[in-house]
Amino acid sequence: MGATESKLNFRKAVVQLTTKLQAVEAADNDFWDRFWSENIAGIQDFFALIPAAEIRALREESPSNIATLCYKAIEKLVSASNNLHLTDQEQLVVLNCTRLLTRILPYIFEDPDWNGFFWTKLPDQAENHDNTVPLAQSLVVAVSNLLFCPDFTAVSAGSYNVSNKSIDSSNFDSCEFIWEAGVGFPYSPPSNGKIDQNRTELLKLLLTCFSETMYSTPASLKCNKWIHCFCSSDNTQALPLFVSLLNVVCSYNPVGIGVPYNYMFFEDFREPLVEVACQLLIVTLDQNNALLQDEHDASSTETAKPNLFINYLSRIHRDEDFSFILTGVCRLLNNPIQQTYLPGSMKKINFHQELMVLFWRLCDINKKFLFFTLKSSEVLSILVPLLYHLNDARADQSRIGLIHIGVFILLLLSGERNFGVRLNKPFTAAAPTDVPVFSGTHADFLILVFHRVITAGHQRLQPLYDCLLTIIVNISPYLKSISMTTSTKLLHLLEAFSTPWFLFSSEQNHHLVFFLLEIFNNIIQYQFDGNYNLIYTIIRKRHVFHQLANLPTDGSSLTNGKQPRKKQKFFKVLSESAAVAAAAAGSAAKLGENSNSTISTSLADTPDLDNIISPVTSDDTRQQNPYGSGPRTPSDEVQPWKATREWVDTWKSKLPLQTIMRMLQVLVPQVEKICIDKNLTDESEILKFLQHGTLVGLLPVPHPILIRKYQSNSGTSSWFCTYMWGVIYLRNIDPPIWYDTDVKLFDIQRV
């Protein structure tokens, strides 16, 4: 009965505030206290009791009242943050103020007229200009301090047997109250579900503060001052907060002690905390915001304040810390794909997209961590779940962004030799059922999944084809042996991409043929001995290479070539195959996804390959990308492009066919002679001959290995910013913090 009465009293206060035409005095504490003194169970009630329409009406018709409401709520939080020991009633006030601000802030952000509101001073500070701070800074610092409040959001790991009442402001050190053991902290405090819930609510408020970025268009993005304040030296809790967030994420084990179906009987309060901690980490480590901040600092007279979160992450260097982070990320990424004998017996997490962005941030900001990952066998534990997610999401339009982030991570990893070498380890796990059966290595698995993404993926994935093939090019010089199935699929792609209807349909399509030829050349020149399966497949499909060498360039061929009368069976009209696959995917349980999701967010344009790679040869000399064409000009999109003889001639003569043709010239007569002499009908004898054959001294001089390394740029930073906030928007649906607000960073699409 008490809870119902509390909700009724709270609702009456909301109605009175929204119907008052005159401003309510800030000094009327009896009225304002009704918004945070009632015992309301959770944040969902706040969303139900304060409808969006009433918040907007209050903002438009009584701006002074909504401003005072925010002032008073922040004032309560600031007051509580100065007290180390909160009573039960004070804790309730803090939580209610937190929930209230989480509900209201998005509706203030969506109105451009309120842009500067939170950067004004508190009313009682306005007269005293010395040592005053903006409202936003007061809120961020207060919430940060409250996240290390004993018995409310923290448990002292170093003094379990000492009453927290003995702690006062003179001897309080928040670094003793870090939430979990891991990087830079050896103690693991006892778990407490109530404390985890309180942390989660405060972190959700911080995430809501940082979401001001959502209400700017991509073209008008500026440095997010909320994030800058939170990650700067103005926030004295920056270090313990960074360590706490990182350790909480990387130490989380959703399976627990492994008891089947345990998650059905016990509520896990740690998972929501880990999820919002991961989201906060990727937001605060956002390189796009750091670039915008650098631009702002360059044009400002104020002293620059670096992002301490990025600074702390870049300075991690101990192997045990790297091992802790990598093991934690691998454990969580592999969780959704783990199989058990008892269906549904193991808890599955849903925040793998945030984890993928976090792993990207870790590798991009701390190069020592990237090299540690590549040296470790755990790199394959990163690769396998990425490939599972790529294969599972390939036909689902709502998960196009997941495929992009997976491909970008693999492009980053493939730029290092160790990654290609590691891929030679035999693949023993169970492959997805729709990937062709094979017996081989992790490299085989990667190539087969990429083949599925290209030939049976959504049509919107076409801009990623060159990235996918670039990854295979980067690893190809180190692949000791690929299976017959994989070899067939690689030739399959060449046959598809080299048909006139595909080559002449776009100005960029011939690049894919160049990439595939480079893959074959790398393997022939550097790994010929073990790749007899590929050599045999090339010999069988030699007509494809002869057709490429004799590609017709007369006007009628160009015109007729663009009209595919009989498209290859394996390269159907992509939109049709994608529609069928999407329908099948929709009926099946989506891997690690919320099946109730009916909306998706749009993405920024995929950056051109030339802008995200830096070609480097094996002797570390930079080279121009031989297939690059530079960024597309706007005129390319306006005027319909047509293939011409001159255009074909510019690249046809550069096709790297010499090595393959020389190999065919040597081996084809030998294979034909063996078949005739021994009357062979079984390919095993031919494979045995090729296995022991050699081309030493017969091939052209080996070309230098060209590795295309990922390089940071504004295009990918902007893409990640849009994708990251789109994921956060969709993941926070209980409560729906930003749902039905006027978001401008991306479009909301019904799926």
Side-chain angles (χ1 to χ4, degrees):
M1 186 65 186
T4 303
E5 187 176 346
S6 295
K7 292 180 184 179
L8 187 59
N9 291 337
F10 181 84
R11 179 60 190 154
K12 286 179 180 178
V14 172
V15 171
Q16 286 183 22
L17 184 65
T18 54
T19 54
K20 284 182 182 289
L21 298 179
Q22 295 181 344
V24 181
E25 291 294 330
D28 188 358
N29 289 327
D30 290 339
F31 175 77
W32 297 112
D33 284 348
R34 295 165 63 188
F35 289 95
W36 35 77
S37 297
E38 298 293 343
N39 188 10
I40 298 178
I43 192 171
Q44 288 81 2
D45 288 334
F46 274 77
F47 276 71
L49 295 171
I50 314 177
E54 293 185 11
I55 301 175
R56 289 193 175 103
L58 186 62
R59 184 190 67 199
E60 300 300 326
E61 298 169 11
S62 304
S64 62
N65 284 343
I66 196 172
T68 305
L69 182 63
C70 292
Y71 284 138
K72 299 294 286 185
I74 294 173
E75 190 177 58
K76 286 289 182 182
L77 292 177
V78 171
S79 174
S81 69
N82 295 325
N83 185 2
L84 282 178
H85 308 293
L86 301 178
T87 64
D88 290 345
Q89 181 59 30
E90 288 171 335
Q91 292 183 14
L92 176 66
V93 169
V94 168
L95 290 174
N96 283 343
C97 289
T98 300
R99 296 159 181 167
L100 185 67
L101 290 170
T102 302
R103 178 57 171 154
I104 292 175
L105 257 58
Y107 296 92
I108 294 179
F109 290 155
E110 74 175 2
D111 189 341
D113 294 337
W114 287 73
N115 278 350
F117 169 67
F118 285 103
W119 301 99
T120 58
K121 315 294 184 186
L122 280 168
D124 58 349
Q125 296 177 340
E127 297 177 1
N128 179 17
H129 294 286
D130 298 331
N131 300 322
T132 59
V133 295
L135 198 59
Q137 184 175 331
S138 298
L139 175 57
V140 165
V141 172
V143 173
S144 300
N145 290 333
L146 286 166
L147 283 166
F148 294 98
C149 184
D151 290 333
F152 178 54
T153 54
V155 179
S156 173
S159 55
Y160 298 141
N161 299 322
V162 180
S163 171
N164 283 336
K165 296 299 180 183
S166 64
I167 301 172
D168 57 42
S169 56
S170 62
N171 63 7
F172 179 77
D173 181 4
S174 56
C175 287
E176 292 184 5
F177 288 80
I178 287 172
W179 301 347
E180 192 56 71
V183 175
F185 192 71
Y187 307 109
S188 182
S191 60
N192 185 309
K194 183 60 179 175
I195 285 179
D196 282 349
Q197 284 181 294
N198 296 339
R199 291 168 177 168
T200 302
E201 297 220 38
L202 287 166
L203 292 181
K204 289 256 188 188
L205 173 57
L206 283 176
L207 194 62
T208 306
C209 293
F210 301 160
S211 69
E212 190 174 26
T213 299
M214 286 193 199
Y215 300 93
S216 300
T217 61
S220 63
L221 271 182
K222 295 180 181 178
C223 168
N224 189 312
K225 292 193 287 185
W226 292 87
I227 297 175
H228 179 237
C229 174
F230 178 73
C231 298
S232 72
S233 54
D234 293 332
N235 183 6
T236 56
Q237 309 296 349
L239 176 59
L241 267 173
F242 170 75
V243 175
S244 294
L245 294 173
L246 184 62
N247 289 355
V248 158
V249 172
C250 296
S251 64
Y252 179 57
N253 184 359
V255 179
I257 59 174
V259 178
Y261 303 106
N262 62 336
Y263 67 96
M264 292 184 175
F265 303 103
F266 306 101
E267 188 169 359
D268 183 6
F269 295 110
R270 181 52 63 101
E271 184 184 5
L273 173 63
V274 173
E275 185 175 320
V276 70
C278 188
Q279 292 170 358
L280 265 177
L281 277 175
I282 63 177
V283 167
T284 51
L285 297 171
D286 181 20
Q287 292 284 50
N288 192 57
N289 196 61
L291 293 172
L292 294 170
Q293 180 59 40
D294 291 342
E295 294 176 6
H296 176 268
D297 291 341
S299 60
S300 174
T301 56
E302 299 177 7
T303 305
K305 296 179 180 178
N307 183 317
L308 293 180
F309 274 46
I310 292 178
N311 181 265
Y312 295 146
L313 178 57
S314 66
R315 287 163 50 190
I316 296 174
H317 62 279
R318 298 191 308 166
D319 281 357
E320 53 264 42
D321 290 338
F322 289 151
S323 178
F324 166 74
I325 295 172
L326 183 59
T327 302
V329 172
C330 288
R331 177 173 58 247
L332 293 174
L333 277 178
N334 280 277
N335 169 266
I337 67 171
Q338 288 181 353
Q339 303 295 325
T340 57
Y341 290 109
L342 299 172
S345 63
M346 191 171 65
K347 183 181 179 69
K348 299 295 179 75
I349 63 166
N350 293 319
F351 54 94
H352 52 273
Q353 294 191 77
E354 295 96 311
L355 282 168
M356 290 161 73
V357 177
L358 178 61
F359 179 75
W360 171 272
R361 296 265 188 263
L362 293 168
C363 292
D364 196 28
I365 294 171
N366 193 320
K367 297 303 179 187
K368 291 180 181 177
F369 175 76
L370 172 61
F371 297 137
F372 178 87
T373 301
L374 291 163
K375 282 193 308 180
S376 166
S377 59
E378 293 281 9
V379 70
L380 298 179
S381 298
I382 295 288
L383 170 73
V384 172
L386 289 182
L387 293 176
Y388 269 87
H389 286 304
L390 257 61
N391 181 68
D392 186 66
R394 68 181 189 278
D396 187 348
Q397 182 177 345
S398 67
R399 293 193 285 170
I400 296 293
L402 184 152
I403 296 181
H404 278 73
I405 177 65
V407 171
F408 287 154
I409 291 173
L410 294 175
L411 180 62
L412 178 69
L413 295 176
S414 71
E416 305 297 333
R417 178 181 179 275
N418 275 354
F419 182 69
V421 173
R422 287 282 181 190
L423 291 180
N424 289 305
K425 183 178 179 180
F427 182 80
T428 55
T433 54
D434 54 355
V435 171
V437 178
F438 72 99
S439 176
T441 64
H442 283 75
D444 290 301
F445 184 43
L446 180 144
I447 295 171
L448 291 173
V449 169
F450 282 10
H451 177 268
R452 291 289 295 168
V453 170
I454 291 173
T455 60
H458 196 277
Q459 57 186 345
R460 287 180 58 192
L461 294 177
Q462 192 158 344
L464 283 180
Y465 290 177
D466 49 5
C467 279
L468 294 169
L469 294 185
T470 297
I471 294 167
I472 303 178
V473 170
N474 284 347
I475 64 174
S476 59
Y478 315 111
L479 304 185
K480 294 182 178 179
S481 177
I482 58 177
S483 68
M484 182 66 75
T485 304
T486 307
S487 303
T488 303
K489 297 304 181 184
L490 281 175
L491 266 297
H492 198 211
L493 289 178
L494 180 65
E495 198 169 355
F497 290 147
S498 62
T499 53
W501 72 266
F502 184 81
L503 274 177
F504 300 153
S505 62
S506 170
E507 190 178 4
Q508 314 295 326
N509 284 354
H510 64 283
H511 296 170
L512 304 177
V513 173
F514 275 83
F515 285 135
L516 285 163
L517 292 177
E518 188 176 348
I519 292 167
F520 299 140
N521 287 336
N522 282 341
I523 294 176
I524 292 169
Q525 290 279 21
Y526 293 100
Q527 300 290 347
F528 177 84
D529 290 346
N531 280 290
Y532 47 88
N533 288 319
L534 179 64
I535 305 304
Y536 174 71
T537 309
I538 290 176
I539 292 174
R540 286 190 58 195
K541 293 283 187 178
R542 58 188 179 274
H543 66 276
V544 177
F545 300 95
H546 291 300
Q547 288 172 358
L548 259 179
N550 300 303
L551 192 68
T553 59
D554 57 278
S556 61
S557 297
L558 293 178
T559 303
N560 295 332
K562 291 179 68 176
Q563 300 172 358
R565 290 180 295 275
K566 290 185 179 180
K567 293 186 180 181
Q568 281 77 354
K569 179 181 178 182
F570 47 79
F571 214 67
K572 299 175 182 177
V573 181
L574 285 177
S575 58
E576 294 178 5
S577 62
V580 173
S587 61
K590 292 181 181 177
L591 181 64
E593 288 290 319
N594 187 342
S595 59
N596 295 324
S597 179
T598 57
I599 58 174
S600 69
T601 56
S602 63
L603 297 169
D605 291 337
T606 306
D608 286 333
L609 182 65
D610 289 345
N611 294 332
I612 62 176
I613 61 168
S614 173
V616 180
T617 59
S618 53
D619 57 359
D620 290 337
T621 56
R622 291 181 179 274
Q623 287 193 351
Q624 193 66 28
N625 184 359
Y627 323 135
S629 60
R632 298 176 178 84
T633 59
S635 60
D636 292 336
E637 300 172 8
V638 177
Q639 300 175 355
W641 176 84
K642 293 183 179 179
T644 63
R645 180 171 184 172
E646 292 74 22
W647 169 76
V648 176
D649 289 340
T650 59
W651 55 263
K652 180 184 173 184
S653 59
K654 299 177 184 177
L655 284 170
L657 288 165
Q658 298 83 356
T659 299
I660 297 171
M661 290 303 191
R662 179 58 180 156
M663 183 194 73
L664 291 173
Q665 186 181 358
V666 173
L667 291 181
V668 169
Q670 295 181 14
V671 171
E672 289 179 340
K673 185 175 185 301
I674 290 176
C675 290
I676 295 172
D677 291 349
K678 297 186 177 182
N679 194 25
L680 295 180
T681 57
D682 185 8
E683 64 183 20
S684 60
E685 289 293 327
I686 302 173
L687 289 172
K688 190 178 297 183
F689 165 74
L690 294 174
Q691 189 174 359
H692 297 96
T694 180
L695 292 177
V696 175
L698 299 175
L699 295 177
V701 177
H703 55 280
I705 297 174
L706 182 65
I707 302 298
R708 295 165 178 83
K709 291 176 177 280
Y710 167 82
Q711 60 180 3
S712 300
N713 64 92
S714 58
T716 49
S717 296
S718 177
W719 186 92
F720 271 101
C721 178
T722 304
Y723 171 66
M724 170 186 72
W725 280 113
V727 170
I728 291 172
Y729 177 96
L730 294 173
R731 295 285 302 130
N732 286 274
I733 57 174
D734 184 26
I737 297 176
W738 299 282
Y739 184 75
D740 203 28
T741 61
D742 188 18
V743 173
K744 298 184 179 71
L745 185 63
F746 42 78
D747 296 326
I748 310 300
Q749 302 165 336
R750 293 282 173 184
V751 179

